[in-house]
Amino acid sequence: MGKTIQTLEHNLDIAEIRRQFPVLHQQVNDKPLVYLDNAATTQKPLAVIDAIKNYYQKDNANIHRGIHTLAERATADFEKTRDAVKAFIGAEHREEIIFTKGTTEGINLVAQTWGRAYLKEGDEILISGMEHHSNMVPWQMIAQEKKAIIKIIPINDAGELLMDEYEKLLNSRTKLVAVVHASNTLGSINPVKQIIQLAHRHGAIVLIDGAQSTSHLDITVSDWSADFFVFSGHKVYGPTGVGILYGKRALLEAMPPYQGGGEMIGEVRYDGFTWNELPYKFEAGTPNIADVIALKSALDFISVLGKQNIRTYENSLLQYACAKLKSLEGIRFIGTANDKVSILSFVFNDIHHQDLGIILDKEGIAIRTGHHCTQPLMGRLRITGTSRASFAVYNTMEEIDRLEAGLKKAIKLFR
Amino acid sequence: MNVSIDDIQKEIIEDFSIFDNWDDKYAYIIECGKKLKPLAPEYKTETNLVRGCQSQVWLHAEHKDGVVNFYADSDAIIVKGLISLLVRVLSGHTAEHVVKSDLYFIDKIGMQSHLSMTRSSGLSSMLKTMKVKALLFLEQEKAN
């Protein structure tokens, strides 16, 4: 331990970064923890933990309504996060940023409001063959209700979208395209700008699921002309229970509200109500104030390090892991797209992924095993699950060595 | 008199007491898994499938001459080893004994984490299914 990995290329002091993550410094099953389940959730830096603590210790008050000092402080901090998110994802207007519980709620919000208002019988929704269940089931639910049709954009064996097939699927009935930016199972990065351009030519709107991309890649929703973009706080070094729905202002304005309650109303009478303006129209009830405030600290953490530095370093981790693991007898990588985030899925024909996960845990190594909430994709690839190691900026080459050693030990036990 | 559920549990706890590290313990469980007779294909049915998140487990139960016998299989070897222990403990006893059994051996051999909710191994649903099947036999017995 303590070896600083510092190269000119990425300009990051990884040992210093690791010091900011208290959770990493612990023993699991008497071994130093190696946390490689970052695609499920990232760990939190001290700045995020402190922001939550500070809020409850100093500022706790309900926002937007109170006239007193604490309420004003809490409101100001809460709204600062909206500005931070706007800048972070390259949006044009702050009212285009809606706070949600997470990616899943963002997608459900669009499906239940935009979908309910605008989908008609026979309309077509395109999703890709590598979608997470959360970018699939909400569409299936509204499609069933509206008698709309869901079509799947196919992928090749490497886990890349077949853009030619995508173009062929687009037509005047296509109302919405919902595609993941980076696959949680395969790591594949999809060409979102191109996907959006093509959809717009046919008058369809596009939702991009940024759950797996936002901590790794530059997000520029306005430049892409994305109609909706969703992500979760807890996968970008922020707290759980907070997420973002970005929507183009005109679209959000045209959509009915999602949930009714306080905050989302303009005026309430016994015989009805009017809606509040954006973004509050979609934020009924007291929001998750502490976690929204702490999300800003997470985005600041990423911005200070620099997305390009993070991408370069994580890419070197991925390359190193591929090189190390490919020599293991019988290993097969799942997801070999040209352009990938730092997610490495693999299978062994003779060893069940669950067995690998159990042994690695005994070695203090946390990976994810299973279908990763992408059952249809598993079917397409003719597997029942994978083992997945996913890397974040605080991971090290030494940890990948530990993963390799753990896998070797497991292989010896099982064969 | 046959050995009781309690006796078999004590036997297993005794077997495991010689291991002083997890490697040996898991190696033994894996060995148990490999030794468990594969379930005949005709029993690997949808109705015999016990739902777990990550691995598949099939459980077939028979009630003959007043005792219950279990036959099981899994596509994951550690789970298969663990269910082989359950099969060993709960087979050959009356349905009533199976229903009323308290399986403390899992805890004593340090495998309780596999029964917890977070372990999506399906072992806890497996154990529950074994008892439910025995309960059905018990009710049939009473009805006859």
Side-chain angles (χ1 to χ4, degrees):
Chain A
M1 284 301 291
K3 188 185 159 201
T4 306
I5 301 163
Q6 194 164 20
T7 71
L8 284 174
E9 234 188 319
H10 57 70
N11 216 15
L12 296 174
D13 182 345
I14 304 303
E16 173 50 33
I17 290 171
R18 289 182 69 81
R19 275 193 284 278
Q20 296 181 45
F21 289 84
V23 80
L24 296 176
H25 309 283
Q26 64 174 296
Q27 304 276 309
V28 168
N29 294 319
D30 302 321
K31 311 266 167 59
L33 167 67
V34 173
Y35 185 78
L36 302 178
D37 194 16
N38 296 287
T41 196
T42 53
Q43 299 301 343
K44 319 304 171 201
L46 276 169
V48 169
I49 299 166
D50 288 345
I52 296 171
K53 202 169 111 191
N54 272 331
Y55 169 75
Y56 284 122
Q57 284 188 341
K58 295 175 186 158
D59 299 328
N60 178 49
N62 210 335
I63 53 167
H64 293 143
R65 295 278 172 271
I67 197 77
H68 54 80
T69 304
L70 261 58
E72 271 177 23
R73 277 209 305 254
T75 304
D77 286 346
F78 181 87
E79 291 299 331
K80 268 185 208 159
T81 298
R82 206 183 301 273
D83 293 322
V85 172
K86 173 193 160 242
F88 195 81
I89 65 170
E92 266 181 57
H93 310 286
R94 66 188 315 277
E95 61 270 28
E96 296 178 321
I97 308 299
I98 313 291
F99 293 117
T100 63
K101 282 192 298 196
T103 301
T104 300
E105 193 185 40
I107 297 169
N108 276 284
L109 191 158
V110 176
Q112 291 302 317
T113 60
W114 179 88
R116 188 159 283 160
Y118 296 106
L119 281 176
K120 293 188 301 292
E121 186 171 348
D123 283 349
E124 294 178 4
I125 298 170
L126 300 188
I127 62 175
S128 86
M130 62 175 94
E131 296 309 315
H132 190 280
H133 295 163
S134 62
N135 197 24
M136 197 175 284
V137 180
W139 305 119
Q140 290 172 335
M141 286 165 68
I142 193 70
Q144 210 166 30
E145 194 183 312
K146 293 283 180 177
K147 299 196 175 74
I149 298 153
I150 292 177
K151 293 199 164 170
I152 309 296
I153 310 161
I155 59 169
N156 62 19
D157 290 337
E160 294 163 320
L161 268 191
L162 297 174
M163 292 298 284
D164 292 352
E165 298 298 319
Y166 168 53
E167 269 200 82
K168 283 185 212 157
L169 284 169
L170 285 164
N171 62 59
S172 60
R173 292 182 303 277
T174 314
K175 286 291 169 329
L176 176 100
V177 178
V179 172
V180 72
H181 190 186
S183 157
N184 71 309
T185 303
L186 309 169
S188 324
I189 300 170
N190 290 320
V192 287
K193 193 169 178 174
Q194 201 187 341
I195 288 169
I196 293 165
Q197 274 171 356
L198 288 168
H200 284 176
R201 261 183 231 165
H202 294 267
I205 64 159
V206 183
L207 178 140
I208 301 296
D209 170 359
Q212 293 298 336
S213 61
T214 308
S215 73
H216 307 288
L217 307 173
D218 276 331
I219 307 297
T220 52
V221 291
S222 282
D223 174 57
W224 301 339
S225 194
D227 298 291
F228 295 108
F229 182 85
V230 284
F231 72 97
S232 297
H234 74 96
K235 291 193 206 283
V236 298
Y237 307 99
T240 53
V242 53
I244 299 298
L245 163 66
Y246 159 85
K248 275 185 186 160
R249 190 164 61 183
L251 273 167
L252 292 175
E253 268 167 0
M255 280 154 56
Y258 182 42
Q259 292 175 328
E263 191 81 34
M264 56 73 71
I265 46 91
E267 187 196 352
V268 180
R269 301 173 307 274
Y270 280 121
D271 62 350
F273 70 99
T274 59
W275 307 337
N276 199 346
E277 59 189 13
L278 285 177
Y280 312 109
K281 177 170 106 180
F282 292 107
E283 294 178 354
T286 297
N288 185 355
I289 305 167
D291 293 322
V292 165
I293 289 172
L295 176 62
K296 180 176 180 297
S297 304
L299 301 183
D300 290 347
F301 167 80
I302 293 175
S303 298
V304 166
L305 297 182
K307 279 267 180 85
Q308 200 48 56
N309 287 328
I310 293 173
R311 175 105 171 100
T312 306
Y313 178 64
E314 287 177 344
N315 211 21
S316 64
L317 288 173
L318 181 66
Q319 298 312 322
Y320 185 70
C322 284
K324 277 270 167 178
L325 266 48
K326 79 173 179 212
S327 58
L328 297 174
E329 202 194 319
I331 199 167
R332 182 157 65 92
F333 294 133
I334 302 297
T336 49
N338 254 333
D339 205 8
K340 280 183 60 162
V341 294
S342 48
I343 286 174
L344 186 58
S345 258
F346 52 90
V347 295
F348 291 90
N349 285 340
D350 57 342
I351 305 173
H352 196 278
H353 45 84
Q354 185 186 44
D355 288 325
L356 274 186
I358 291 171
I359 297 304
L360 288 177
D361 175 57
K362 285 284 162 199
E363 289 289 299
I365 302 164
I367 63 156
R368 181 134 304 224
T369 59
H371 54 62
H372 316 296
C373 295
T374 52
Q375 285 177 350
L377 174 63
M378 296 292 101
R380 158 68 181 84
L381 299 170
R382 292 176 296 278
I383 49 179
T384 58
T386 79
S387 300
R388 181 189 71 186
S390 50
F391 310 108
V393 70
Y394 43 65
N395 287 126
T396 65
M397 307 290 172
E398 287 85 344
E399 288 181 310
I400 291 167
D401 294 340
R402 288 265 313 275
L403 172 66
E404 185 203 15
L407 285 170
K408 279 184 173 162
K409 183 168 186 172
I411 289 168
K412 217 169 121 191
L413 264 171
F414 292 120
R415 282 184 183 151
Chain B
M1 184 64 196
N2 285 336
V3 280
S4 68
I5 289 176
D6 216 38
D7 292 336
I8 306 171
Q9 292 200 79
K10 282 177 185 152
E11 240 173 64
I12 292 174
I13 294 165
E14 179 74 26
D15 289 349
F16 272 80
S17 67
I18 58 162
F19 305 126
D20 49 14
N21 60 54
W22 74 263
D23 304 44
D24 294 343
K25 205 186 275 187
Y26 274 80
Y28 179 74
I29 291 168
I30 291 164
E31 216 37 57
C32 291
K34 286 178 179 166
K35 277 190 203 148
L36 184 68
K37 224 174 108 191
L39 195 62
E42 64 259 36
Y43 295 128
K44 282 193 173 180
T45 59
E46 192 64 29
T47 36
N48 280 341
L49 193 63
V50 181
R51 287 193 81 85
C53 184
Q54 300 207 354
S55 49
Q56 292 182 299
V57 173
W58 293 270
L59 176 71
H60 171 66
E62 283 175 3
H63 193 213
K64 226 157 88 186
D65 304 328
V67 294
V68 184
N69 277 301
F70 292 104
Y71 307 87
D73 209 339
S74 174
D75 54 351
I77 197 72
I78 292 175
V79 169
K80 196 170 164 182
L82 291 169
I83 60 179
S84 82
L85 297 177
L86 291 179
V87 166
R88 180 174 151 198
V89 170
L90 292 179
S91 286
H93 308 285
T94 65
E96 193 180 355
H97 281 146
V98 174
V99 171
K100 287 185 178 161
S101 63
D102 165 29
L103 297 193
Y104 54 84
F105 83 98
I106 299 164
D107 199 39
K108 291 271 194 247
I109 63 172
M111 290 294 138
Q112 64 280 10
S113 68
H114 292 278
L115 274 179
S116 75
M117 292 298 289
T118 53
R119 280 272 181 230
S120 30
S121 65
L123 195 69
S124 56
S125 13
M126 167 81 180
L127 185 54
K128 208 159 100 189
T129 310
M130 289 171 109
K131 288 200 171 191
V132 167
K133 290 200 178 199
L135 192 66
L136 289 174
F137 291 142
L138 193 62
E139 278 168 8
Q140 279 167 12
E141 223 171 50
K142 281 177 185 163
N144 289 337

